[in-house]
Amino acid sequence: MQFDQVVRTRPADAALAAVVGALVVTAAASGDGTTPLDYTLIGIGSLTLAAYRDAPRAVLAITTATTTGYVVHAHPGTLSALPVLSAVHTAARAGHRGVAALAGAVFLAGFVATGPGTREAVERTLLLAGWFLCALVTGLADRNWRAYLRQTEQRALEAERTREEAALRRAGEERLRIARELHDSLTHSISIVKLQAGVAVHLARKRGEEVPPALLAIQEASGEAMRELRATLEVLRTDEPTGTPALLVERARAAGLAVDLRVTGEERPLAATVDRAAYRIVQEALTNAARHAGPAKVTVEIAYAPSELTIGVHDDGVARLSRPPTPGIGLTGMSERVTALGGTLRAAPRAEGGFSVRAELPLEAPEEAR
């Protein structure tokens, strides 16, 4: 949970716990024989509900124990079950349905044991059992609904990312088509103009005639046009990254992400394939950190060794070992790049919290990487 969400939910949780406690205390005050011990048990069982987001099972255990103790001691009415009902609902919502059902059964056993075996007592017990069943079912329904919303959001993000990649692929195909058209339509014509101008200049000089300035200008301009056209075709035909991991870090900082870059070892030029893979790994890891880590600090580590390049991107965000992420297109593509170079990749939550990407890329000679 991010910090701004915590700021909004904490007061609401405390207010809810206070309302539950106030209702039970009011009902207890209207009865006879309520002691300070009973009020203490009610207060503990109700106010503990404020922590249900962080420790739903602990809250369920404390609330069930204190409220059951109050029921056994004071023999109150059905409203005394309100704290346990709330705890059962929140525990089921967190996925602990078995523990929630057991807590409800424990409270009902205590409630039945304190009352006389009259028809009214049986009806009250059955009513409470129905309430507990509703609390359990609604908690499970809310959990399933939130899981559905998360899946829908994830599918929407994946669909958006897929559309972006498809657009990039179409743009690359269009660049190649334009490059082919320019090559087919212009390169031949400009080459002919340059060749004919060169022949005319050569013949004029061979005959001892003065070369017309216009002819020299045509020869020079056609040569310059050929160089510019080659450069343009090179740009259109390549889809290589332009920049370095250091530039990616600067861009991420400018976008508001707290990033620290650490480079160790002897920095040196890399083979094109390794350099390209390193750039893409850092780019994808920073993108994922910006999207999923929340207000986290990110560290980018690049270590040059004699035989390998190690890249690490670590954040202290919201990822946890108990909730491993589902690999998406980005992580899959990252893994494919590393595997193609014979390296290893580890991308997973860290034990101390946050997410870590670590890639080890074997270094190749520049001749082998071409």
Side-chain angles (χ1 to χ4, degrees):
M1 184 182 297
Q2 298 181 4
F3 178 74
D4 56 343
Q5 293 176 315
V6 172
V7 171
R8 290 195 302 267
T9 56
R10 291 300 187 205
D13 295 343
L16 177 62
V19 169
V20 171
L23 291 174
V24 180
V25 166
T26 302
S30 64
D32 297 330
T34 305
T35 65
L37 175 61
D38 298 325
Y39 288 116
T40 301
L41 292 174
I42 293 171
I44 295 174
S46 300
L47 297 181
T48 304
L49 293 171
Y52 77 88
R53 294 183 189 272
D54 297 324
R57 286 185 294 184
V59 168
L60 178 65
I62 295 172
T63 301
T64 302
T66 54
T67 308
T68 304
Y70 162 60
V71 167
V72 172
H73 183 262
H75 312 293
T78 54
L79 192 60
S80 61
L82 189 56
V84 184
L85 282 169
S86 302
V88 166
H89 172 81
T90 54
R93 182 185 179 193
H96 310 301
R97 56 179 180 269
V99 179
L102 178 61
V106 168
F107 177 82
L108 286 174
F111 188 84
V112 171
T114 60
T118 63
R119 179 177 179 181
E120 180 182 358
V122 172
E123 291 176 350
R124 289 167 58 189
T125 302
L126 291 176
L127 177 62
L128 279 180
W131 287 1
F132 277 106
L133 181 60
C134 289
L136 187 65
V137 171
T138 54
L140 293 174
D142 184 64
R143 174 180 172 82
N144 293 335
W145 173 249
R146 288 187 293 116
Y148 170 76
L149 290 180
R150 285 195 300 270
Q151 292 175 359
T152 302
E153 181 181 0
Q154 185 64 31
R155 284 196 296 267
L157 291 174
E158 291 295 339
E160 179 181 356
R161 193 165 189 167
T162 302
R163 285 195 298 269
E164 291 176 357
E165 293 185 352
L168 290 174
R169 184 173 62 253
R170 287 194 296 269
E173 294 171 353
E174 183 64 14
R175 284 197 306 271
L176 291 177
R177 188 190 68 79
I178 294 173
R180 288 194 298 268
E181 292 294 334
L182 287 176
H183 180 273
D184 295 342
S185 62
L186 294 181
T187 303
H188 178 72
S189 299
I190 295 176
S191 298
I192 294 298
V193 170
K194 183 176 182 296
L195 177 63
Q196 291 179 343
V199 171
V201 169
H202 173 73
L203 292 177
R205 287 173 176 168
K206 186 176 181 180
R207 289 193 298 265
E209 301 174 355
E210 182 180 358
V211 180
L215 193 58
L216 292 174
I218 291 173
Q219 186 184 34
E220 182 178 356
S222 59
E224 181 66 23
M226 283 296 297
R227 288 190 291 272
E228 293 291 338
L229 182 58
R230 288 194 189 100
T232 302
L233 292 176
E234 185 68 23
V235 171
L236 288 173
R237 282 172 173 159
T238 185
D239 188 26
E240 301 304 316
T242 56
T244 63
L247 180 60
L248 290 173
V249 169
E250 290 300 324
R251 290 175 181 170
R253 287 173 180 165
L257 191 64
V259 189
D260 182 27
L261 175 63
R262 301 174 187 172
V263 181
T264 58
E266 182 183 353
E267 191 171 356
R268 58 191 184 275
L270 302 172
T273 51
V274 178
D275 190 44
R276 184 163 57 247
Y279 181 93
R280 293 304 189 194
I281 290 169
V282 174
Q283 183 183 47
E284 180 61 29
L286 289 177
T287 300
N288 287 340
R291 286 183 175 179
H292 307 300
K297 182 177 180 181
V298 184
T299 301
V300 178
E301 298 175 347
I302 300 178
Y304 291 84
S307 60
E308 70 177 14
L309 177 73
T310 302
I311 303 167
V313 182
H314 319 290
D315 66 71
D316 56 359
V318 298
R320 295 292 181 270
L321 286 174
S322 58
R323 294 174 296 174
T326 302
I329 297 176
L331 289 179
T332 302
M334 193 186 303
S335 177
E336 290 172 350
R337 286 181 182 275
V338 173
T339 303
L341 295 176
T344 58
L345 175 74
R346 182 186 182 277
R350 303 192 301 169
E352 60 270 37
F355 197 84
S356 176
V357 174
R358 180 181 174 86
E360 296 177 353
L361 304 175
L363 299 180
E364 302 178 65
E367 291 79 13
E368 296 174 326
R370 289 194 185 99

